[in-house]
Amino acid sequence: MQPAPDEARRDAAEDTQWSRPECQVWTGALLLGTCLLYCARASMPICAATMSQDFGWNKKEAGVVLSSFFWGYCLTQVVGGHLGDRIGGEKVILLSASAWGFITAATPLLSHLGSAHLAFMTFSRVLMGLLQGVYFPALTSLLSQKVRESERAFTYSTVGAGSQFGTLVTGAVGSLLLDRYGWPSVFYFSGGLTLLWVCYVYRCLLGEKDLILALGVLAQGLPVSRHTKVPWRQLFRKPSVWAAIISQLSAACSFFILLSWLPTFFKETFPGSKGWVFNVVPWLVAIPASLFSGLLSDRLINQGYRTITVRKFMQVMGLGLSSVFALCLGHTSSFCKSVVFASASIGLQTFNHSGISVNIQDLAPSCAGFLFGVANTAGALAGRRSRGRVPGWLPHRDHGLLDVCVQPGGSHQQPRALHLPGVREGPAGGPEPRP
């Protein structure tokens, strides 16, 4: 008797999942990759003031260079997720990382190609955004297909902690390099480390045949996914999909507002405060908070709690409770309390890694990269819009951060499992029965 199609798909999926040792090695490698992603991304902001002096940029021109990253970043989210679903997320990550690592290391050379420094730097930032935009959708696709449902939250939270770690590393090491060796050294540092990471992943974790096959597929445009065609029209008629998109949009908007305007809030509200305190402490708190959220989520699922219940709880913590602390931030005149509230808000935001980020993987693992790409595009556009609109609000409020932190409340409606033909479903509504 032939097994049912759903059981056959589950068996095939389990056969392709990583073993525990493989998962540990890949988690460490992807954690480092995420760290280097943010090291490369933050290199330009750290060097912007010094480069403005060298090239004679005014604030508007420097702002054009910095903001141009987001225009490229918004364009490749869906493409990166779709390619990850088709050829494998690890291959998309490796190919994009090799390109953005090279561009980062070559940025000082681009600045000497001619007198149009502004045009060259803006072009490099747009290209950087295009290449880095594929990372998280491809990562989501990879983890949805390779990691067991009961281990996804901790794996994704651990990898996601690299964003905070990379920001801290670039802020600390990059500042030292900038002071001692000049701004080109920051780009050589982050770009060079990225290329070394690419070499390690290529030689130790990926086979040459797999990468050549991926390049051939990209060149020929042939679909090689083992999954059946996904009915996109039906997918976007489901309220759960739109709930996921709105939740991701709200989480990204909250994150970008605090990332972009928290230093301005502290400088204007507490002029004599130490910059390293409010620029470092919240992000240090976020690293263990991210790991804790993943451990807690997986532990609750392994103890028998329904997957959807755990995802909802994590999302309420990541959006709801973090917003409460953001509101408290605007109602205190104490510097110490403000740092505590900011740290709590940013730390709790990492619970989104165990909420909506993995819930998208639960919904439809076969197209998780595409769905995450759509949701993250909305979040990136919201983040880009908040970076442009918030500065006009801050100077006119006593505690201007309050007025922007109350907005991204988000939707706490978590998606249920999708029952669509052609989509391999995950256990969003509860543990998936094992054959």
Side-chain angles (χ1 to χ4, degrees):
M1 181 176 179
Q2 294 294 328
D6 289 342
E7 292 183 359
R9 280 196 294 269
R10 282 197 296 269
D11 291 339
E14 289 181 355
D15 290 340
T16 62
Q17 288 178 340
W18 291 326
S19 64
R20 186 173 295 274
E22 287 177 324
C23 186
Q24 292 173 347
V25 172
W26 272 102
T27 300
L30 292 171
L31 169 63
L32 183 57
T34 306
C35 174
L36 293 172
L37 175 92
Y38 273 80
C39 284
R41 185 181 300 184
S43 296
M44 183 67 76
I46 286 178
C47 301
T50 304
M51 295 175 70
S52 297
Q53 294 177 356
D54 290 350
F55 300 137
W57 297 341
N58 55 36
K59 289 185 177 180
K60 183 178 180 181
E61 291 171 334
V64 168
V65 174
L66 293 175
S67 64
S68 58
F69 173 87
F70 263 92
W71 296 117
Y73 190 72
C74 294
L75 294 177
T76 52
Q77 299 283 330
V78 176
V79 174
H82 185 62
L83 285 176
D85 295 335
R86 290 286 183 174
I87 67 175
E90 69 277 20
K91 304 176 188 69
V92 176
I93 289 173
L94 187 68
L95 292 172
S96 64
S98 60
W100 94 59
F102 175 78
I103 291 174
T104 303
T107 296
L109 302 178
L110 289 174
S111 66
H112 294 94
L113 288 180
S115 58
H117 306 113
L118 183 65
F120 282 120
M121 292 299 99
T122 301
F123 174 75
S124 69
R125 288 294 288 176
V126 172
L127 198 56
M128 178 76 72
L130 288 170
L131 293 168
Q132 291 199 351
V134 306
Y135 184 87
F136 283 106
L139 175 67
T140 299
S141 176
L142 174 63
L143 297 185
S144 70
Q145 297 177 24
K146 296 293 187 179
V147 180
R148 296 179 178 87
E149 172 261 326
S150 60
E151 299 175 354
R152 279 182 192 153
F154 178 70
T155 303
Y156 197 93
S157 298
T158 302
V159 174
S163 60
Q164 288 85 21
F165 189 67
T167 303
L168 289 173
V169 168
T170 309
V173 179
S175 297
L176 292 175
L177 292 173
L178 181 64
D179 292 338
R180 293 190 179 185
Y181 305 106
W183 65 264
S185 63
V186 180
F187 290 94
Y188 294 144
F189 170 76
S190 56
L193 286 181
T194 300
L195 293 176
L196 288 176
W197 177 80
V198 168
C199 291
Y200 164 74
V201 174
Y202 173 72
R203 294 177 64 88
C204 300
L205 300 180
L206 276 182
E208 184 177 352
K209 287 185 177 180
D210 292 335
L211 197 59
I212 292 176
L213 176 62
L215 290 172
V217 169
L218 290 176
Q220 299 175 20
L222 298 177
V224 297
S225 175
R226 66 180 180 279
H227 307 301
T228 56
K229 187 177 180 180
V230 178
W232 305 120
R233 186 174 298 178
Q234 285 184 278
L235 198 65
F236 285 107
R237 288 176 179 172
K238 298 294 180 179
S240 54
V241 170
W242 289 106
I245 293 174
I246 293 172
S247 295
Q248 182 67 21
L249 184 152
S250 302
C253 191
S254 301
F255 173 78
F256 284 125
I257 285 175
L258 289 177
L259 176 68
S260 302
W261 300 112
L262 197 63
T264 301
F265 168 78
F266 273 103
K267 286 182 180 179
E268 294 184 355
T269 309
F270 308 103
S273 59
K274 300 288 186 181
W276 66 268
V277 175
F278 57 79
N279 281 328
V280 173
V281 172
W283 305 106
L284 280 177
V285 172
I287 295 174
S290 180
L291 299 177
F292 172 74
S293 70
L295 283 172
L296 177 62
S297 178
D298 288 346
R299 184 174 181 84
L300 290 174
I301 292 174
N302 288 327
Q303 287 182 350
Y305 289 91
R306 296 177 67 222
T307 302
I308 188 63
T309 303
V310 176
R311 303 298 190 229
K312 285 181 178 180
F313 171 72
M314 292 296 166
Q315 196 61 26
V316 169
M317 296 287 286
L319 281 179
L321 191 56
S322 66
S323 297
V324 171
F325 282 104
L327 289 171
C328 294
L329 181 62
H331 282 96
T332 181
S333 57
S334 168
F335 175 73
C336 292
K337 289 182 179 179
S338 295
V339 173
V340 170
F341 291 149
S343 301
S345 181
I346 292 175
L348 286 168
Q349 282 187 5
T350 63
F351 279 60
N352 292 318
H353 294 158
S354 303
I356 188 61
S357 296
V358 288
N359 197 206
I360 291 176
Q361 301 173 35
D362 296 335
L363 285 173
S366 61
C367 59
F370 176 86
L371 279 181
F372 187 88
V374 173
N376 215 37
T377 297
L381 288 172
R384 178 67 184 87
R385 185 173 179 83
S386 69
R387 290 165 70 96
R389 293 191 64 177
V390 173
W393 294 20
L394 288 176
H396 303 290
R397 310 285 186 185
D398 292 332
H399 293 285
L401 196 62
L402 168 64
D403 300 285
V404 295
C405 284
V406 296
Q407 296 181 31
S411 166
H412 296 310
Q413 176 191 4
Q414 285 302 308
R416 297 181 179 179
L418 303 183
H419 301 284
L420 300 174
V423 179
R424 182 165 55 87
E425 300 170 23
E432 185 176 69
R434 301 298 179 189

